[in-house]
Short mmCIF file of all heavy atoms in Angstrom, two decimals:
data_model
loop_
_atom_site.label_atom_id
_atom_site.label_comp_id
_atom_site.label_asym_id
_atom_site.label_seq_id
_atom_site.Cartn_x
_atom_site.Cartn_y
_atom_site.Cartn_z
N LEU A 100 -33.10 -90.81 49.46
CA LEU A 100 -34.03 -89.80 49.99
C LEU A 100 -35.37 -89.87 49.26
O LEU A 100 -36.43 -89.77 49.89
CB LEU A 100 -33.44 -88.40 49.84
CG LEU A 100 -32.42 -87.96 50.89
CD1 LEU A 100 -31.60 -86.78 50.40
CD2 LEU A 100 -33.12 -87.61 52.21
N LEU A 101 -35.32 -90.03 47.95
CA LEU A 101 -36.56 -90.16 47.17
C LEU A 101 -37.33 -91.39 47.62
O LEU A 101 -38.55 -91.35 47.82
CB LEU A 101 -36.23 -90.25 45.68
CG LEU A 101 -37.43 -90.24 44.73
CD1 LEU A 101 -38.13 -88.88 44.74
CD2 LEU A 101 -36.99 -90.59 43.31
N GLN A 102 -36.61 -92.49 47.82
CA GLN A 102 -37.23 -93.72 48.30
C GLN A 102 -37.87 -93.52 49.67
O GLN A 102 -39.01 -93.94 49.91
CB GLN A 102 -36.14 -94.80 48.37
CG GLN A 102 -36.35 -95.92 49.38
CD GLN A 102 -37.07 -97.12 48.80
OE1 GLN A 102 -37.78 -97.00 47.81
NE2 GLN A 102 -36.88 -98.26 49.41
N ALA A 103 -37.17 -92.83 50.57
CA ALA A 103 -37.72 -92.57 51.91
C ALA A 103 -38.98 -91.72 51.83
O ALA A 103 -39.96 -91.95 52.56
CB ALA A 103 -36.66 -91.89 52.78
N PHE A 104 -38.97 -90.72 50.96
CA PHE A 104 -40.15 -89.87 50.73
C PHE A 104 -41.34 -90.73 50.31
O PHE A 104 -42.45 -90.62 50.87
CB PHE A 104 -39.80 -88.83 49.65
CG PHE A 104 -40.97 -88.23 48.93
CD1 PHE A 104 -42.02 -87.62 49.60
CD2 PHE A 104 -41.00 -88.23 47.53
CE1 PHE A 104 -43.09 -87.05 48.91
CE2 PHE A 104 -42.06 -87.65 46.84
CZ PHE A 104 -43.11 -87.07 47.53
N PHE A 105 -41.15 -91.62 49.35
CA PHE A 105 -42.23 -92.49 48.90
C PHE A 105 -42.71 -93.41 50.02
O PHE A 105 -43.92 -93.59 50.21
CB PHE A 105 -41.76 -93.37 47.72
CG PHE A 105 -41.50 -92.61 46.44
CD1 PHE A 105 -40.50 -93.03 45.57
CD2 PHE A 105 -42.24 -91.50 46.09
CE1 PHE A 105 -40.25 -92.36 44.38
CE2 PHE A 105 -42.00 -90.81 44.90
CZ PHE A 105 -41.00 -91.26 44.04
N LEU A 106 -41.78 -93.99 50.77
CA LEU A 106 -42.15 -94.99 51.77
C LEU A 106 -42.88 -94.38 52.96
O LEU A 106 -43.84 -94.97 53.47
CB LEU A 106 -40.91 -95.75 52.26
CG LEU A 106 -40.19 -96.61 51.21
CD1 LEU A 106 -39.05 -97.38 51.87
CD2 LEU A 106 -41.15 -97.56 50.51
N VAL A 107 -42.43 -93.21 53.42
CA VAL A 107 -43.12 -92.55 54.54
C VAL A 107 -44.58 -92.27 54.17
O VAL A 107 -45.50 -92.53 54.94
CB VAL A 107 -42.39 -91.25 54.95
CG1 VAL A 107 -43.25 -90.42 55.90
CG2 VAL A 107 -41.05 -91.58 55.61
N ALA A 108 -44.77 -91.75 52.94
CA ALA A 108 -46.14 -91.45 52.48
C ALA A 108 -46.93 -92.73 52.23
O ALA A 108 -48.11 -92.83 52.59
CB ALA A 108 -46.08 -90.60 51.21
N ASP A 109 -46.29 -93.72 51.62
CA ASP A 109 -46.95 -94.98 51.29
C ASP A 109 -47.43 -95.69 52.56
O ASP A 109 -48.54 -96.25 52.59
CB ASP A 109 -45.97 -95.87 50.52
CG ASP A 109 -46.65 -97.07 49.86
OD1 ASP A 109 -47.60 -96.84 49.09
OD2 ASP A 109 -46.23 -98.20 50.11
N ASP A 110 -46.61 -95.68 53.60
CA ASP A 110 -46.99 -96.34 54.85
C ASP A 110 -48.23 -95.70 55.47
O ASP A 110 -49.06 -96.39 56.07
CB ASP A 110 -45.83 -96.32 55.84
CG ASP A 110 -44.73 -97.30 55.48
OD1 ASP A 110 -44.99 -98.22 54.68
OD2 ASP A 110 -43.60 -97.15 55.98
N ILE A 111 -48.37 -94.38 55.34
CA ILE A 111 -49.57 -93.71 55.85
C ILE A 111 -50.79 -94.17 55.04
O ILE A 111 -51.82 -94.55 55.60
CB ILE A 111 -49.43 -92.17 55.76
CG1 ILE A 111 -48.27 -91.69 56.62
CG2 ILE A 111 -50.74 -91.49 56.19
CD1 ILE A 111 -47.89 -90.23 56.38
N MET A 112 -50.67 -94.15 53.71
CA MET A 112 -51.79 -94.53 52.84
C MET A 112 -52.22 -95.98 53.06
O MET A 112 -53.40 -96.30 53.00
CB MET A 112 -51.42 -94.30 51.37
CG MET A 112 -51.35 -92.83 50.99
SD MET A 112 -50.90 -92.57 49.26
CE MET A 112 -49.15 -92.25 49.41
N ASP A 113 -51.24 -96.85 53.33
CA ASP A 113 -51.54 -98.28 53.52
C ASP A 113 -51.82 -98.64 54.97
O ASP A 113 -52.12 -99.80 55.26
CB ASP A 113 -50.36 -99.13 53.03
CG ASP A 113 -50.23 -99.13 51.51
OD1 ASP A 113 -51.18 -98.67 50.84
OD2 ASP A 113 -49.18 -99.58 51.00
N ALA A 114 -51.69 -97.67 55.88
CA ALA A 114 -51.83 -97.93 57.32
C ALA A 114 -50.92 -99.07 57.76
O ALA A 114 -51.30 -99.95 58.53
CB ALA A 114 -53.29 -98.24 57.67
N SER A 115 -49.69 -99.07 57.23
CA SER A 115 -48.74 -100.13 57.55
C SER A 115 -48.28 -100.03 59.01
O SER A 115 -48.46 -99.00 59.67
CB SER A 115 -47.53 -100.04 56.62
OG SER A 115 -47.91 -100.26 55.28
N VAL A 116 -47.70 -101.12 59.48
CA VAL A 116 -47.31 -101.21 60.89
C VAL A 116 -45.80 -101.04 61.06
O VAL A 116 -45.34 -100.23 61.87
CB VAL A 116 -47.76 -102.55 61.50
CG1 VAL A 116 -47.31 -102.67 62.96
CG2 VAL A 116 -49.28 -102.71 61.39
N THR A 117 -45.03 -101.83 60.32
CA THR A 117 -43.58 -101.77 60.45
C THR A 117 -42.92 -101.54 59.10
O THR A 117 -43.49 -101.84 58.05
CB THR A 117 -43.01 -103.08 61.05
OG1 THR A 117 -43.37 -104.18 60.21
CG2 THR A 117 -43.52 -103.30 62.46
N ARG A 118 -41.70 -101.02 59.18
CA ARG A 118 -40.90 -100.79 57.98
C ARG A 118 -39.43 -100.95 58.40
O ARG A 118 -38.99 -100.32 59.34
CB ARG A 118 -41.15 -99.38 57.44
CG ARG A 118 -40.21 -98.89 56.37
CD ARG A 118 -40.46 -99.55 55.03
NE ARG A 118 -41.76 -99.21 54.47
CZ ARG A 118 -42.20 -99.70 53.31
NH1 ARG A 118 -41.45 -100.54 52.62
NH2 ARG A 118 -43.40 -99.37 52.85
N ARG A 119 -38.72 -101.81 57.70
CA ARG A 119 -37.30 -102.04 57.99
C ARG A 119 -37.04 -102.41 59.45
O ARG A 119 -36.11 -101.94 60.09
CB ARG A 119 -36.47 -100.80 57.61
CG ARG A 119 -36.49 -100.49 56.11
CD ARG A 119 -35.88 -99.14 55.80
NE ARG A 119 -35.73 -98.92 54.36
CZ ARG A 119 -35.37 -97.78 53.81
NH1 ARG A 119 -35.12 -96.73 54.58
NH2 ARG A 119 -35.25 -97.67 52.50
N GLY A 120 -37.95 -103.23 59.98
CA GLY A 120 -37.76 -103.75 61.33
C GLY A 120 -38.07 -102.81 62.46
O GLY A 120 -37.77 -103.09 63.63
N GLN A 121 -38.72 -101.68 62.18
CA GLN A 121 -39.11 -100.74 63.23
C GLN A 121 -40.48 -100.16 62.88
O GLN A 121 -40.95 -100.30 61.75
CB GLN A 121 -38.07 -99.62 63.37
CG GLN A 121 -37.87 -98.79 62.10
CD GLN A 121 -36.75 -97.76 62.23
OE1 GLN A 121 -36.03 -97.72 63.23
NE2 GLN A 121 -36.59 -96.92 61.23
N PRO A 122 -41.16 -99.54 63.86
CA PRO A 122 -42.48 -98.97 63.55
C PRO A 122 -42.39 -97.95 62.42
O PRO A 122 -41.40 -97.22 62.31
CB PRO A 122 -42.88 -98.28 64.87
CG PRO A 122 -42.09 -98.98 65.93
CD PRO A 122 -40.79 -99.37 65.28
N CYS A 123 -43.39 -97.94 61.56
CA CYS A 123 -43.44 -96.92 60.52
C CYS A 123 -43.35 -95.54 61.17
O CYS A 123 -43.83 -95.33 62.29
CB CYS A 123 -44.75 -97.03 59.73
SG CYS A 123 -44.91 -98.57 58.81
N TRP A 124 -42.76 -94.60 60.46
CA TRP A 124 -42.51 -93.28 61.03
C TRP A 124 -43.78 -92.65 61.57
O TRP A 124 -43.79 -92.09 62.68
CB TRP A 124 -41.86 -92.38 59.98
CG TRP A 124 -41.65 -90.96 60.41
CD1 TRP A 124 -42.24 -89.84 59.90
CD2 TRP A 124 -40.80 -90.49 61.46
NE1 TRP A 124 -41.81 -88.70 60.55
CE2 TRP A 124 -40.91 -89.07 61.52
CE3 TRP A 124 -39.93 -91.13 62.36
CZ2 TRP A 124 -40.20 -88.29 62.43
CZ3 TRP A 124 -39.22 -90.34 63.28
CH2 TRP A 124 -39.37 -88.95 63.30
N PHE A 125 -44.90 -92.72 60.86
CA PHE A 125 -46.12 -92.06 61.31
C PHE A 125 -46.69 -92.70 62.57
O PHE A 125 -47.49 -92.09 63.27
CB PHE A 125 -47.17 -92.02 60.18
CG PHE A 125 -47.97 -93.28 60.02
CD1 PHE A 125 -49.24 -93.40 60.57
CD2 PHE A 125 -47.46 -94.36 59.30
CE1 PHE A 125 -49.99 -94.55 60.41
CE2 PHE A 125 -48.20 -95.52 59.13
CZ PHE A 125 -49.48 -95.62 59.69
N ARG A 126 -46.27 -93.94 62.86
CA ARG A 126 -46.75 -94.62 64.07
C ARG A 126 -45.87 -94.32 65.29
O ARG A 126 -46.20 -94.73 66.40
CB ARG A 126 -46.80 -96.13 63.83
CG ARG A 126 -47.90 -96.52 62.84
CD ARG A 126 -48.21 -98.00 62.88
NE ARG A 126 -49.25 -98.36 61.94
CZ ARG A 126 -50.56 -98.30 62.19
NH1 ARG A 126 -50.98 -97.87 63.39
NH2 ARG A 126 -51.46 -98.66 61.29
N LYS A 127 -44.77 -93.65 65.06
CA LYS A 127 -43.91 -93.29 66.18
C LYS A 127 -44.65 -92.26 67.05
O LYS A 127 -45.30 -91.36 66.54
CB LYS A 127 -42.60 -92.69 65.64
CG LYS A 127 -41.45 -92.73 66.62
CD LYS A 127 -40.13 -92.48 65.91
CE LYS A 127 -38.96 -92.53 66.86
NZ LYS A 127 -38.92 -91.45 67.83
N GLU A 128 -44.50 -92.41 68.37
CA GLU A 128 -45.22 -91.52 69.30
C GLU A 128 -44.88 -90.05 69.02
O GLU A 128 -43.72 -89.68 68.88
CB GLU A 128 -44.84 -91.87 70.74
CG GLU A 128 -45.69 -91.14 71.78
CD GLU A 128 -45.40 -91.59 73.20
OE1 GLU A 128 -44.66 -92.58 73.38
OE2 GLU A 128 -45.92 -90.93 74.12
N GLY A 129 -45.94 -89.24 68.90
CA GLY A 129 -45.75 -87.82 68.68
C GLY A 129 -45.61 -87.42 67.22
O GLY A 129 -45.48 -86.23 66.91
N VAL A 130 -45.65 -88.39 66.30
CA VAL A 130 -45.49 -88.07 64.88
C VAL A 130 -46.85 -88.01 64.17
O VAL A 130 -47.30 -86.95 63.75
CB VAL A 130 -44.55 -89.07 64.16
CG1 VAL A 130 -44.47 -88.75 62.67
CG2 VAL A 130 -43.15 -89.02 64.79
N GLY A 131 -47.53 -89.14 64.06
CA GLY A 131 -48.85 -89.17 63.42
C GLY A 131 -48.82 -88.61 62.01
O GLY A 131 -47.88 -88.84 61.24
N LEU A 132 -49.84 -87.83 61.67
CA LEU A 132 -49.95 -87.31 60.31
C LEU A 132 -48.99 -86.15 60.01
O LEU A 132 -48.92 -85.69 58.87
CB LEU A 132 -51.40 -86.90 60.01
CG LEU A 132 -52.39 -88.06 59.96
CD1 LEU A 132 -53.78 -87.57 59.60
CD2 LEU A 132 -51.94 -89.13 58.97
N ASP A 133 -48.24 -85.72 61.03
CA ASP A 133 -47.15 -84.76 60.76
C ASP A 133 -46.14 -85.40 59.81
O ASP A 133 -45.34 -84.70 59.17
CB ASP A 133 -46.43 -84.36 62.05
CG ASP A 133 -47.29 -83.48 62.94
OD1 ASP A 133 -48.44 -83.17 62.54
OD2 ASP A 133 -46.84 -83.13 64.04
N ALA A 134 -46.18 -86.72 59.73
CA ALA A 134 -45.27 -87.44 58.82
C ALA A 134 -45.47 -87.02 57.37
O ALA A 134 -44.56 -87.17 56.55
CB ALA A 134 -45.47 -88.95 58.97
N ILE A 135 -46.65 -86.52 57.04
CA ILE A 135 -46.89 -86.04 55.66
C ILE A 135 -45.92 -84.90 55.35
O ILE A 135 -45.26 -84.89 54.30
CB ILE A 135 -48.35 -85.58 55.49
CG1 ILE A 135 -49.31 -86.76 55.69
CG2 ILE A 135 -48.56 -84.94 54.12
CD1 ILE A 135 -50.77 -86.36 55.78
N ASN A 136 -45.82 -83.95 56.27
CA ASN A 136 -44.89 -82.83 56.07
C ASN A 136 -43.45 -83.31 56.07
O ASN A 136 -42.61 -82.82 55.31
CB ASN A 136 -45.09 -81.77 57.16
CG ASN A 136 -44.32 -80.50 56.86
OD1 ASN A 136 -44.57 -79.84 55.86
ND2 ASN A 136 -43.38 -80.16 57.73
N ASP A 137 -43.15 -84.30 56.91
CA ASP A 137 -41.80 -84.87 56.95
C ASP A 137 -41.43 -85.49 55.60
O ASP A 137 -40.28 -85.42 55.16
CB ASP A 137 -41.69 -85.91 58.05
CG ASP A 137 -41.88 -85.32 59.44
OD1 ASP A 137 -41.56 -84.12 59.63
OD2 ASP A 137 -42.35 -86.04 60.33
N SER A 138 -42.40 -86.12 54.94
CA SER A 138 -42.13 -86.71 53.63
C SER A 138 -41.79 -85.62 52.62
O SER A 138 -40.91 -85.79 51.76
CB SER A 138 -43.31 -87.57 53.15
OG SER A 138 -44.39 -86.77 52.70
N PHE A 139 -42.48 -84.46 52.74
CA PHE A 139 -42.16 -83.34 51.85
C PHE A 139 -40.71 -82.88 52.04
O PHE A 139 -40.01 -82.53 51.08
CB PHE A 139 -43.10 -82.15 52.09
CG PHE A 139 -44.55 -82.42 51.83
CD1 PHE A 139 -45.53 -81.61 52.40
CD2 PHE A 139 -44.96 -83.47 51.02
CE1 PHE A 139 -46.88 -81.83 52.16
CE2 PHE A 139 -46.31 -83.70 50.78
CZ PHE A 139 -47.27 -82.89 51.35
N PHE A 140 -40.28 -82.86 53.30
CA PHE A 140 -38.90 -82.48 53.59
C PHE A 140 -37.92 -83.43 52.92
O PHE A 140 -36.92 -83.00 52.32
CB PHE A 140 -38.64 -82.46 55.10
CG PHE A 140 -37.18 -82.48 55.45
CD1 PHE A 140 -36.38 -81.36 55.23
CD2 PHE A 140 -36.60 -83.63 55.97
CE1 PHE A 140 -35.02 -81.39 55.52
CE2 PHE A 140 -35.23 -83.66 56.25
CZ PHE A 140 -34.46 -82.55 56.03
N LEU A 141 -38.18 -84.73 53.01
CA LEU A 141 -37.27 -85.72 52.42
C LEU A 141 -37.12 -85.50 50.92
O LEU A 141 -36.01 -85.58 50.38
CB LEU A 141 -37.78 -87.13 52.71
CG LEU A 141 -37.72 -87.57 54.17
CD1 LEU A 141 -38.53 -88.84 54.39
CD2 LEU A 141 -36.27 -87.78 54.61
N GLU A 142 -38.23 -85.19 50.25
CA GLU A 142 -38.15 -84.94 48.81
C GLU A 142 -37.38 -83.65 48.52
O GLU A 142 -36.50 -83.62 47.65
CB GLU A 142 -39.54 -84.86 48.18
CG GLU A 142 -39.46 -84.72 46.66
CD GLU A 142 -40.77 -84.30 46.02
OE1 GLU A 142 -41.61 -83.69 46.70
OE2 GLU A 142 -40.93 -84.56 44.81
N SER A 143 -37.71 -82.58 49.22
CA SER A 143 -37.06 -81.30 48.93
C SER A 143 -35.58 -81.33 49.27
O SER A 143 -34.77 -80.66 48.61
CB SER A 143 -37.76 -80.16 49.69
OG SER A 143 -37.73 -80.40 51.09
N ALA A 144 -35.20 -82.14 50.27
CA ALA A 144 -33.78 -82.21 50.66
C ALA A 144 -32.91 -82.74 49.54
O ALA A 144 -31.77 -82.30 49.35
CB ALA A 144 -33.64 -83.10 51.90
N LEU A 145 -33.44 -83.67 48.75
CA LEU A 145 -32.60 -84.25 47.70
C LEU A 145 -32.23 -83.21 46.65
O LEU A 145 -31.12 -83.24 46.10
CB LEU A 145 -33.28 -85.49 47.09
CG LEU A 145 -34.38 -85.33 46.04
CD1 LEU A 145 -33.82 -85.22 44.63
CD2 LEU A 145 -35.34 -86.52 46.11
N TYR A 146 -33.15 -82.28 46.37
CA TYR A 146 -32.85 -81.25 45.37
C TYR A 146 -31.85 -80.22 45.89
O TYR A 146 -31.07 -79.65 45.12
CB TYR A 146 -34.14 -80.59 44.88
CG TYR A 146 -34.97 -81.57 44.07
CD1 TYR A 146 -36.11 -82.17 44.61
CD2 TYR A 146 -34.57 -81.96 42.79
CE1 TYR A 146 -36.83 -83.10 43.89
CE2 TYR A 146 -35.29 -82.88 42.06
CZ TYR A 146 -36.42 -83.46 42.61
OH TYR A 146 -37.12 -84.40 41.89
N ARG A 147 -31.87 -79.99 47.20
CA ARG A 147 -30.85 -79.09 47.78
C ARG A 147 -29.47 -79.72 47.65
O ARG A 147 -28.48 -79.04 47.37
CB ARG A 147 -31.17 -78.79 49.25
CG ARG A 147 -32.47 -78.03 49.43
CD ARG A 147 -32.62 -77.50 50.85
NE ARG A 147 -31.80 -76.32 51.09
CZ ARG A 147 -32.12 -75.09 50.73
NH1 ARG A 147 -33.26 -74.85 50.11
NH2 ARG A 147 -31.32 -74.08 51.02
N LEU A 148 -29.40 -81.04 47.85
CA LEU A 148 -28.11 -81.73 47.73
C LEU A 148 -27.63 -81.77 46.29
O LEU A 148 -26.43 -81.56 46.02
CB LEU A 148 -28.21 -83.15 48.30
CG LEU A 148 -28.43 -83.25 49.81
CD1 LEU A 148 -28.61 -84.70 50.23
CD2 LEU A 148 -27.27 -82.62 50.58
N LEU A 149 -28.54 -82.03 45.35
CA LEU A 149 -28.15 -82.02 43.94
C LEU A 149 -27.59 -80.65 43.54
O LEU A 149 -26.59 -80.55 42.82
CB LEU A 149 -29.34 -82.38 43.04
CG LEU A 149 -29.77 -83.85 42.98
CD1 LEU A 149 -30.98 -84.01 42.07
CD2 LEU A 149 -28.62 -84.74 42.47
N ARG A 150 -28.26 -79.60 44.01
CA ARG A 150 -27.81 -78.25 43.67
C ARG A 150 -26.44 -77.97 44.28
O ARG A 150 -25.56 -77.41 43.63
CB ARG A 150 -28.83 -77.22 44.15
CG ARG A 150 -28.50 -75.80 43.68
CD ARG A 150 -29.52 -74.80 44.19
NE ARG A 150 -29.44 -74.67 45.65
CZ ARG A 150 -30.26 -73.89 46.36
NH1 ARG A 150 -31.22 -73.20 45.76
NH2 ARG A 150 -30.13 -73.80 47.67
N LYS A 151 -26.27 -78.37 45.52
CA LYS A 151 -25.02 -78.10 46.22
C LYS A 151 -23.83 -78.81 45.55
O LYS A 151 -22.76 -78.23 45.38
CB LYS A 151 -25.15 -78.57 47.69
CG LYS A 151 -23.85 -78.70 48.46
CD LYS A 151 -23.29 -77.37 48.88
CE LYS A 151 -22.04 -77.56 49.73
NZ LYS A 151 -21.42 -76.28 50.09
#
Side-chain angles (χ1 to χ4, degrees):
L100 279 162
L101 186 68
Q102 154 92 337
F104 158 54
F105 291 147
L106 295 184
V107 168
D109 193 55
D110 285 342
I111 298 169
M112 288 180 262
D113 289 347
S115 297
V116 178
T117 59
R118 169 74 65 181
R119 296 170 172 172
Q121 60 185 6
C123 296
W124 176 245
F125 82 98
R126 291 195 180 274
K127 201 165 181 292
E128 189 175 352
V130 177
L132 293 183
D133 290 359
I135 297 169
N136 190 62
D137 296 331
S138 75
F139 298 159
F140 163 72
L141 292 167
E142 185 194 24
S143 58
L145 80 87
Y146 291 104
R147 296 191 76 81
L148 292 176
L149 284 179
R150 187 181 67 182
K151 165 76 176 176

